[in-house]
Amino acid sequence: MTIPTAPNPTAAGSGRSATERFSQKELSAGAVDQARVSAIATDAIHALHEVIRRHHVHYAEYDALKAWLIRVGEDGEWPLFLDVWLEHVVEEVVNADRLGTSGTIEGPYYIPGSPEFRSEATLPMRDGEQGTPFVFQGTVTDLDGNPLEDARVELWHADDDGYYSQFAPGIPEWNLRGTILTGPDGRFAFHTIKPAPYQIPTDGSCGALIAAAGWHAWRPAHLHLKVSAPGKQLVTTQLYFEGGEHVEDDVAQAVKPQLILRPTPATSGVGEEVIYGFALDPAA
Ligand code: MBD
Ligand code: FE
């Protein structure tokens, strides 16, 4: 068997980088309770038994599964696989009672500690960064609409080719990543470019699954955000663009109607702009 050459080595590298990143991440605190491990693992295994019976899975398929699972580990795409196909349900469960701005999945490409600015900033970007110039501005308030000072708005997004800095090679470290601290009026304004839709790398194990099943590999163009303020609950979310490709059929099922932006031509005459309000729930 010949191993196909990667049509896009940049893409495959991103999955692997996400695994390296994740192994350095400080994991969410909290003891893992033995009774819950037993209950959850038992139910997960039983759910798979049920699938095997329902579909009369035979040995060729069982071996294909084993080979594929081994490959996901080898090519470092577990973070990608989990965040694309499972994370949205974890988010749904965890954020069920939130009253303010809705959350959605974090995905594999967040990096803490991006450059900090106050009130208004241009995201770090290359000379001649490709893409439609875009002003993303708004306010951070509490649930009653009172502006929050010193709220942190962390923004990260893909470039016009769909690549993230620190995951795809050849992009400056903090490209299209930044944090704004709001002033007393709770306002922030980011000057950036509109990101492109994101395609799951076609040359890794997740791409192989998508191709074997005849699915599509696309997420709609999106902005990633973490918004927080003293005494408030942090929200991890994403914003999408009305009418954009795959807003209706995100492979990661992470779009919610209240997270869709409707940008208008910018008053400056160049590019587009939009205003969005974040409302934060009180800390638990
Ligand atoms: C992404 O950019 C992303 O946001 C998710 C959730 C999965 C893969 C790539
Ligand atoms: Fe993303």
Side-chain angles (χ1 to χ4, degrees):
M1 188 187 118
T2 53
I3 296 163
T5 48
N8 187 345
T10 306
S14 293
R16 204 168 296 117
S17 310
T19 292
E20 279 162 31
R21 257 298 151 181
F22 185 77
S23 31
Q24 296 159 14
K25 180 179 163 180
E26 220 176 288
L27 298 184
S28 312
V32 180
D33 179 83
Q34 181 182 270
R36 276 182 63 80
V37 173
S38 176
I40 295 165
T42 300
D43 279 1
I45 290 164
H46 285 170
L48 289 171
H49 295 166
E50 165 50 25
V51 170
I52 293 166
R53 289 196 185 96
R54 194 179 338 136
H55 294 278
H56 283 265
V57 171
H58 49 68
Y59 268 102
E61 291 160 337
Y62 180 63
D63 285 345
L65 171 66
K66 267 196 204 173
W68 183 79
L69 291 172
I70 290 165
R71 192 178 156 198
V72 179
E74 285 170 352
D75 69 16
E77 286 196 354
W78 277 119
L80 183 65
F81 173 82
L82 290 164
D83 294 351
V84 167
W85 282 291
L86 297 192
E87 189 187 352
H88 69 97
V89 188
V90 178
E91 190 281 323
E92 171 192 313
V93 166
V94 165
N95 284 331
D97 297 330
R98 203 180 270 279
L99 298 172
T101 301
S102 299
T104 189
I105 64 178
E106 176 174 314
Y109 302 140
Y110 170 64
I111 314 256
S114 66
E116 284 185 14
F117 307 92
R118 171 86 40 197
S119 297
E120 180 157 7
T122 299
L123 277 190
M125 64 176 80
R126 295 161 282 191
D127 287 340
E129 186 75 41
Q130 296 301 296
T132 305
F134 180 55
V135 184
F136 172 63
Q137 56 187 318
T139 48
V140 185
T141 68
D142 65 14
L143 293 181
D144 299 320
N146 304 303
L148 295 173
E149 183 174 9
D150 289 329
R152 294 175 62 85
V153 184
E154 287 186 78
L155 172 65
W156 73 103
H157 65 80
D159 67 12
D160 192 51
D161 294 320
Y163 295 131
Y164 286 86
S165 58
Q166 300 192 44
F167 292 92
I171 304 176
E173 188 175 25
W174 294 107
N175 211 62
L176 304 178
R177 297 176 184 271
T179 301
I180 287 183
L181 287 149
T182 58
D185 56 3
R187 291 191 175 278
F188 67 88
F190 286 102
H191 298 256
T192 183
I193 53 110
K194 286 178 84 179
Y198 176 89
Q199 184 181 29
I200 306 291
T202 52
D203 46 354
S205 47
C206 291
L209 170 62
I210 288 168
W215 302 336
H216 79 75
W218 292 90
R219 296 213 61 222
H222 55 278
L223 306 174
H224 287 274
L225 292 133
K226 282 182 185 280
V227 182
S228 60
K232 300 289 178 274
Q233 260 183 69
L234 178 149
V235 64
T236 299
T237 193
Q238 299 183 35
L239 295 169
Y240 306 90
F241 300 93
E242 184 172 55
E245 284 173 72
H246 299 296
V247 169
E248 306 294 331
D249 64 347
D250 178 8
V251 64
Q253 295 183 59
V255 179
K256 301 180 184 185
Q258 60 275 37
L259 299 177
I260 299 176
L261 299 172
R262 286 163 203 81
T264 55
T267 47
S268 68
V270 182
E272 299 179 16
E273 64 189 14
V274 78
I275 297 175
Y276 193 83
F278 293 95
L280 298 182
D281 286 70

